[in-house]
């Protein structure tokens, strides 16, 4: 194990910055300004890079500016406890959910259940084969929910890919009974317009409401027609999940014509994704509040009536944000961190040429009261260590680390690894810990790295797209109080009141 020291980090920054000018033209050619969706149903493909980029990656490794291929590096306050490689499910690893002593890990080919009662030695208790990217995952009580956002021949776990232009094709939400964690049982499926790229739960005593985020409609898709300017709402009766059904499609971006009222994207706003739905929504049930990351827009909305969410503010950043990807509230519901997935997660954007304000987080304060609340931009945060141009790297999924009076977050950056940072001062965010691997390849741009990095009951869990399930232990006086906060269940996009 090799630990980075501050001097090495500074040398790394300087070394990469020195060659940034020479890389600029190549990077701007290789990395389009506009974002693309997350990886699709097919396995990630390698992308050729120029000889000069390959040479520069090798030189940066030799100079100690970036870790070597597959080399693990981390700050002194993080310990790498365990890694569980992929097993029966070879697809791309995706999101995570938690319940008691179990972690549930999504994979484009299904999902895996881990017993994490001993974080140093997680144990697999179930692997469920059920292809349908990206298999975004969450749990509530005895139910597990799985998003299907690839066009399938039917709703079964034996389905095959089928063109979205076929009326018989299926996409949507799948529901499993997990009362026996070692034997999850498929109990229901609900088709939704444009499928389900991600989803967020609004749990109630008798029912679970699911907000389904999806996007990119087409006039040629029978079940995904434009403008698609809202979200599907599914109601799941806990006692009878087989009766799950769509109960509404609230329009979040009302407007004239097939484009609705969201960001028009190019050519009006070059390099910005046109808003044709939402990518991800984080709900704060105790505050009846939600934040939506919706391609070209960030929104704040009220959940006083969960079947009819009401937008109370809408913001855009047409200078530095390409694709509004996800959202995280601080504990007091006075701030929202939005992420920008520049390049769709498949590009190398953690470099000097891209800079610190693109492919980053945007920190917004929430000012005002009730339905008059507004989102006010304060600053950007981007992990401070440059990556090789053969590494896909951009802001991705993270969660709060619950410490009273502080705003602390752990976040995945694909091959940029895991960054722990402090945004207590909205205008001056700073990193306090990190973990990462060296590039998967120095010859080609290969998709991989941490998809999600979440804090749960004293540990950080990361689902690496290629390398598997990682467990990290963070030991720092600034974050240690969080270990006293114990949760029975965590779906990060259904953000809890950690101190209630």
């Amino acid at each position: 194990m090799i630990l980075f020291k501050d001097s090495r980090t500074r040398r790394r920054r300087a070394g990469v910055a020195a060659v940034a000018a020479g890389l600029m033209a190549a990077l701007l050619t290789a990395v389009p300004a506009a974002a693309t969706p997350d990886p699709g149903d097919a396995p990630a493909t390698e992308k050729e890079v120029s000889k000069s980029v390959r040479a520069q990656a090798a030189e940066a490794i030799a100079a100690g500016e970036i870790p070597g291929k597959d080399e693990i590096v981390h700050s002194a306050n993080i310990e790498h406890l365990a890694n569980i490689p992929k097993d029966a499910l070879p697809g791309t690893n995706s999101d995570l959910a938690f319940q008691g002593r179990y972690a549930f890990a999504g994979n484009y080919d299904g999902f895996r259940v881990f017993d994490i009662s001993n974080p140093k030695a997680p144990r697999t208790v179930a692997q469920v084969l059920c292809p349908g990217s990206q298999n975004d995952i969450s749990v509530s009580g005895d139910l597990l929910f799985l998003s299907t956002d690839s066009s399938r021949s039917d709703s079964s776990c034996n389905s095959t890919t089928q063109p979205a232009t076929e009326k018989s094709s299926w996409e949507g939400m799948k529901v499993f009974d997990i009362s026996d964690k070692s034997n999850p049982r498929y109990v229901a499926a609900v088709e939704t317009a444009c499928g389900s790229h991600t989803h967020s739960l609004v749990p109630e005593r008798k029912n679970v409401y699911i907000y389904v985020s999806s996007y990119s409609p087409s006039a040629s898709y029978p079940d995904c027609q434009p403008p698609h300017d809202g979200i599907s709402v599914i109601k799941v009766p806990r006692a009878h999940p087989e009766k799950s059904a769509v109960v509404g499609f609230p329009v979040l971006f009302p407007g004239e014509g097939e484009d609705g009222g969201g960001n028009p994207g190019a050519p009006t706003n070059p390099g910005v994704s046109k808003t044709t739905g939402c990518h991800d929504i984080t709900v704060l049930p105790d505050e009846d509040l939600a934040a939506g990351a919706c391609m070209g827009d960030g929104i704040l909305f009220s959940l006083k009536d969960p079947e009819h969410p009401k937008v109370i503010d809408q913001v855009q950043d047409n200078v530095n944000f390409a694709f509004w990807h996800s959202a995280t509230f601080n504990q007091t519901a006075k701030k929202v961190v939005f992420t920008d997935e520049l390049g769709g997660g498949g590009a190398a954007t953690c470099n000097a040429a891209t800079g610190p304000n693109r492919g980053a987080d945007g920190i917004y304060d929430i000012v005002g009261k009730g339905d008059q609340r507004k989102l006010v931009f304060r600053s950007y945060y981007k992990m401070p260590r440059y990556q090789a141009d053969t590494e896909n790297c951009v802001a991705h999924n993270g969660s709060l680390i619950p410490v009273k009076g502080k705003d602390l977050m752990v976040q995945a950056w694909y091959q940029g690894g895991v960054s722990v940072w402090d945004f207590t001062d909205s205008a001056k965010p700073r990193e306090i810990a990190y973990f990462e691997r060296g590039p998967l390849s120095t010859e080609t741009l290969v998709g991989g790295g941490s998809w999600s990095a979440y804090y749960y009951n004293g540990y950080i869990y990361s689902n690496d797209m290629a390398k598997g399930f990682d467990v990290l232990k963070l030991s720092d006086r600034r974050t240690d109080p969080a270990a006293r906060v114990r949760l029975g269940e965590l779906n990060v996009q259904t953000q809890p009141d950690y101190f209630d």
Side-chain angles (χ1 to χ4, degrees):
M1 192 75 68
I2 296 177
L3 304 183
F4 269 168
K5 298 185 182 297
D6 288 344
S7 59
R8 184 177 180 184
T9 303
R10 287 195 296 270
R11 189 168 64 248
R12 185 175 171 188
R13 287 174 176 165
V16 179
V19 300
L23 288 174
M24 181 69 77
L27 288 170
L28 292 179
T29 300
V31 183
T36 57
D38 288 339
D41 192 35
T45 57
E46 296 186 5
K47 300 176 184 177
E48 293 295 328
V49 296
S50 68
K51 289 184 179 179
S52 63
V53 168
R54 293 198 296 268
Q56 286 155 356
E59 290 170 5
I61 290 172
E65 294 166 0
I66 64 172
K69 182 179 176 181
D70 289 335
E71 178 188 359
I72 291 176
V73 296
H74 54 79
S75 54
N77 53 357
I78 279 186
E79 181 183 1
H80 187 207
L81 297 183
N83 170 260
I84 308 299
K86 294 181 187 180
D87 188 11
L89 305 176
T92 298
N93 282 333
S94 57
D95 211 7
L96 295 168
F98 304 90
Q99 186 180 86
R101 60 188 177 98
Y102 297 99
F104 303 83
N107 178 286
Y108 276 42
D109 288 327
F111 66 93
R112 190 171 181 178
V113 184
F114 293 100
D115 182 334
I116 55 172
S117 53
N118 179 2
K120 294 182 178 180
R123 181 175 59 87
T124 300
V125 297
Q127 297 188 73
V128 177
L129 179 64
C130 196
S133 65
Q134 57 187 13
N135 279 338
D136 193 48
I137 194 167
S138 59
V139 294
S140 183
D142 287 336
L143 300 177
L144 179 146
F145 305 93
L146 207 63
S147 286
T148 299
D149 193 35
S150 65
S151 186
R152 313 297 299 178
S153 57
D154 55 56
S155 63
S156 76
C157 287
N158 297 317
S159 67
T160 57
T161 58
Q162 183 168 291
T165 52
E166 296 284 341
K167 176 61 179 172
S168 62
S169 295
W170 187 92
E171 299 179 64
M173 289 298 309
K174 294 169 182 170
V175 184
F176 290 78
D177 183 317
I178 54 169
S179 52
D180 179 356
K181 302 295 189 294
S182 65
N183 187 30
R185 184 169 55 89
Y186 189 9
V187 295
V190 181
E191 187 171 16
T192 55
C194 301
S196 175
H197 192 69
T198 67
H199 67 270
S200 308
L201 304 185
V202 185
E204 295 188 338
R205 185 174 178 181
K206 294 183 177 180
N207 305 301
V208 180
Y209 288 96
I210 308 175
Y211 290 169
V212 176
S213 296
S214 55
Y215 53 92
S216 295
S218 170
S220 65
Y221 300 161
D223 299 318
C224 184
Q225 293 285 299
H228 194 69
D229 48 8
I231 56 174
S232 297
V233 179
I234 297 174
K235 183 178 181 180
V236 182
R238 291 187 186 276
H240 296 283
E242 71 280 0
K243 296 182 179 179
S244 301
V246 174
V247 294
F249 186 86
V251 174
L252 304 178
F253 302 97
E256 299 296 329
E258 69 172 22
D259 294 338
N263 198 316
T268 304
N269 296 317
V272 179
S273 293
K274 175 181 176 181
T275 298
T276 58
C278 287
H279 180 276
D280 209 350
I281 292 169
T282 293
V283 301
L284 205 53
D286 288 345
E287 299 285 343
D288 291 329
L289 199 63
C294 302
M295 303 182 72
D297 295 87
I299 59 174
L300 189 68
F301 51 103
S302 168
L303 303 182
K304 291 179 181 177
D305 180 352
E307 290 191 23
H308 303 93
K310 175 185 176 183
V311 175
I312 57 179
D313 197 25
Q314 176 181 351
V315 292
Q316 297 177 356
D317 179 346
N318 295 318
V319 175
N320 287 313
F321 261 48
F323 188 95
W324 295 67
H325 175 274
S326 53
T328 303
F329 288 97
N330 76 332
Q331 180 55 39
T332 59
K334 298 297 185 183
K335 303 175 186 178
V336 181
V337 174
F338 288 104
T339 67
D340 173 28
E341 195 184 38
L342 173 69
T349 69
C350 296
N351 47 45
T354 304
N357 297 336
R358 300 176 66 237
D361 297 317
I363 304 167
Y364 286 75
D365 285 352
I366 301 173
V367 300
K369 296 182 179 180
D371 289 354
Q372 303 305 311
R373 283 173 285 191
K374 299 292 183 182
L375 293 164
V376 179
F377 174 76
R378 294 303 187 201
S379 67
Y380 298 104
Y381 170 77
K382 192 169 185 178
M383 52 163 286
R385 293 168 314 286
Y386 293 135
Q387 306 295 301
D389 291 308
T390 57
E391 295 179 279
N392 61 310
C393 177
V394 76
H396 214 239
N397 293 347
S399 76
L400 289 187
I401 298 176
V403 175
K404 281 188 175 182
K406 298 289 185 181
D407 295 326
L408 305 171
M409 186 172 175
V410 58
Q411 186 175 3
W413 290 79
Y414 289 119
Q415 285 193 71
V418 175
S419 177
V420 180
W421 57 289
D422 184 332
F423 63 105
T424 306
D425 183 341
S426 300
K428 296 179 180 179
R430 59 193 180 94
E431 184 175 76
I432 61 174
Y434 65 89
F435 167 90
E436 68 167 291
R437 290 181 170 89
L440 289 169
S441 171
T442 58
E443 300 294 317
T444 57
L445 176 58
V446 183
S450 179
W451 179 289
S452 299
Y454 298 146
Y455 185 92
Y456 177 68
N457 290 354
Y459 297 88
I460 293 171
Y461 298 90
S462 167
N463 211 18
D464 188 292
M465 295 164 65
K467 294 295 184 180
F469 183 70
D470 288 304
V471 185
L472 309 175
K473 178 64 175 178
L474 176 63
S475 299
D476 190 290
R477 60 179 177 76
R478 294 163 292 188
T479 59
D480 287 347
R484 296 194 290 268
V485 178
R486 312 298 291 183
L487 300 177
E489 190 171 274
L490 177 63
N491 301 294
V492 169
Q493 287 73 39
T494 304
Q495 201 168 308
D497 182 343
Y498 288 95
F499 304 109
D500 184 7

